[in-house]
Amino acid sequence: MSEGSRGSSLTFGQVVIGPPGSGKTTYCHGMQEFMGSIGRKVAVVNLDPANEAMPYQCALDIAQLITLPDVMESLRLGPNGGLIYCMEYLEANSDWLQERLAAFRGHYFLFDCPGQVELYTHHRALKNVFAQLAKWHFRLAAVHLVDSHYCTDPGKFISVLCTSLSTMLHVELPHVNVLSKMDLIEQYGKLAFNLDYYTEVLDLSYLVDHLASDPFFRSYRRLNEKLVEVIEDYSLVSFVPLNVQDKASMRQVLQVVDKANGCCFGEQEHRSLEALMSAAVGADFHFTSTLAVQEKYLQSQDKAVEEEVMEL
């Protein structure tokens, strides 16, 4: 595919990133099925050389270029060093990626990425691959998945906020932070605040006060206050709740991502009035989606209380 032919049209997609176990592969599978049901042609690209069991239909697999077990064996590297080497090898062989992506012209792309956090916070190989895709007229949004169970632990949630902020600043793509596995959140315990407190990242001083009640964190209050100040000074981090099993939730996330990468204004959507309005009322829509999840969460909590009362 020549530069001239690529310049005639844009290709939209998502790079799905996040720590191990956050649900990236499950998200790609669910999003592939959902987008297929609404008429979009979707190609899923596996960029994780450690990903062996893929539930989705894989259009392109990095294993055709390099595999993590081969790297670990031949270079005597551990899993982390091997993953970094694989990403550097992919960056050095970007022509391989370009040639194979060309076979799926007209598709919407989902890039299933590795779960090593260093790749998104300070290592440059994967970031350079994303930049190269942009030069090939890919319009991508980074979908950063975070397991929702971190909301039940104030200390871990502050850590997640710092990681999310660092990722946003390093990757340099339109960014959507997603709280995944919302259907399981009630299994991890009761939230200290309403769900919108976590999705909108409201006044974090309350979270620091909550941490101060823990003897372990009490001596680190000053450090937590400074970390919170950094997060609030940038004022960039917020989350969209997601339950992959819920089509309405998937649609809500897709609308936010479409706004981020510009797909809702592209030729694929024919500049439809519905797509334009979805983008125009993004803030209100985001609040509505969070409210719906919050209601489900509260209902599950009320049901649990009723069951406890009945047992008594």
Side-chain angles (χ1 to χ4, degrees):
M1 186 164 55
S2 66
E3 288 290 337
S5 63
R6 284 198 308 275
S8 60
S9 62
L10 298 176
T11 301
F12 295 96
Q14 308 173 26
V15 292
V16 185
I17 62 179
S22 57
K24 297 183 293 298
T25 297
T26 301
Y27 172 87
C28 288
H29 184 210
M31 188 58 73
Q32 181 186 48
E33 291 187 340
F34 177 75
M35 295 181 71
S37 69
I38 62 175
R40 293 194 195 181
K41 294 190 295 182
V42 182
V44 183
V45 179
N46 176 44
L47 294 184
D48 185 357
N51 198 353
E52 298 178 352
M54 293 172 286
Y56 49 73
Q57 183 179 354
C58 187
L60 178 59
D61 190 354
I62 192 176
Q64 299 168 6
L65 175 69
I66 191 171
T67 65
L68 182 60
D70 289 344
V71 169
M72 292 173 62
E73 181 179 355
S74 60
L75 299 180
R76 297 183 180 180
L77 294 173
N80 289 341
L83 271 173
I84 289 177
Y85 180 88
C86 289
M87 294 302 101
E88 292 175 345
Y89 191 83
L90 175 64
E91 179 190 2
N93 292 273
S94 59
D95 55 336
W96 173 88
L97 183 62
Q98 180 183 17
E99 179 182 344
R100 281 153 182 78
L101 291 177
F104 299 94
R105 183 182 301 179
H107 285 66
Y108 185 104
F109 285 87
L110 298 172
F111 293 90
D112 188 4
C113 298
Q116 192 173 358
V117 176
E118 302 96 290
L119 295 171
Y120 314 116
T121 57
H122 58 272
H123 195 266
R124 300 188 63 85
L126 204 52
K127 172 185 176 180
N128 292 339
V129 171
F130 298 157
Q132 188 61 58
L133 287 168
K135 293 179 181 178
W136 300 336
H137 300 277
F138 278 76
R139 295 297 176 261
L140 303 172
V143 178
H144 183 225
L145 298 184
V146 173
D147 196 318
S148 59
H149 87 266
Y150 289 118
C151 295
T152 62
D153 188 317
K156 291 180 180 178
F157 186 66
I158 290 177
S159 176
V160 162
L161 291 175
C162 292
T163 302
S164 299
L165 178 59
S166 177
T167 300
M168 295 175 74
L169 297 176
H170 181 73
V171 172
E172 296 182 348
L173 283 176
H175 206 95
V176 178
N177 291 304
V178 174
L179 281 177
S180 63
K181 307 179 185 179
M182 287 302 303
D183 52 318
L184 303 177
I185 189 171
E186 65 269 14
Q187 298 181 10
Y188 302 116
K190 188 175 181 180
L191 298 179
F193 306 100
N194 287 336
L195 184 61
D196 59 347
Y197 176 87
Y198 300 93
T199 57
E200 300 300 329
V201 189
L202 301 176
D203 189 350
L204 294 178
S205 62
Y206 293 103
L207 207 60
V208 175
D209 292 337
H210 190 76
L211 273 174
S213 62
D214 188 321
F216 176 79
F217 289 105
R218 192 173 300 150
S219 57
Y220 297 100
R221 181 184 180 96
R222 185 61 177 165
L223 172 62
N224 288 321
E225 287 177 346
K226 289 302 180 183
L227 290 175
V228 163
E229 285 179 12
V230 171
I231 296 166
E232 292 183 331
D233 285 346
Y234 276 94
S235 190
L236 290 175
V237 185
S238 63
F239 295 93
V240 182
L242 170 66
N243 173 7
V244 175
Q245 308 300 325
D246 187 347
K247 290 185 178 180
S249 179
M250 292 292 286
R251 180 175 182 270
Q252 290 163 354
V253 171
L254 181 59
Q255 285 182 314
V256 176
V257 175
D258 279 352
K259 179 184 176 183
N261 64 16
C263 186
C264 61
F265 302 108
E267 296 175 359
Q268 291 177 332
E269 302 300 325
H270 303 287
R271 297 184 179 272
S272 68
L273 178 61
E274 181 180 358
L276 290 170
M277 289 303 295
S278 296
V281 298
D284 293 337
F285 146 77
H286 190 160
F287 172 78
T288 303
S289 66
T290 303
L291 184 62
V293 176
Q294 174 71 20
E295 288 176 352
K296 291 182 180 179
Y297 172 75
L298 291 176
Q299 288 172 2
S300 65
Q301 291 292 317
D302 292 341
K303 184 178 179 181
V305 172
E306 290 176 1
E307 290 176 351
E308 291 179 1
V309 173
M310 291 297 292
E311 290 177 358
L312 295 175

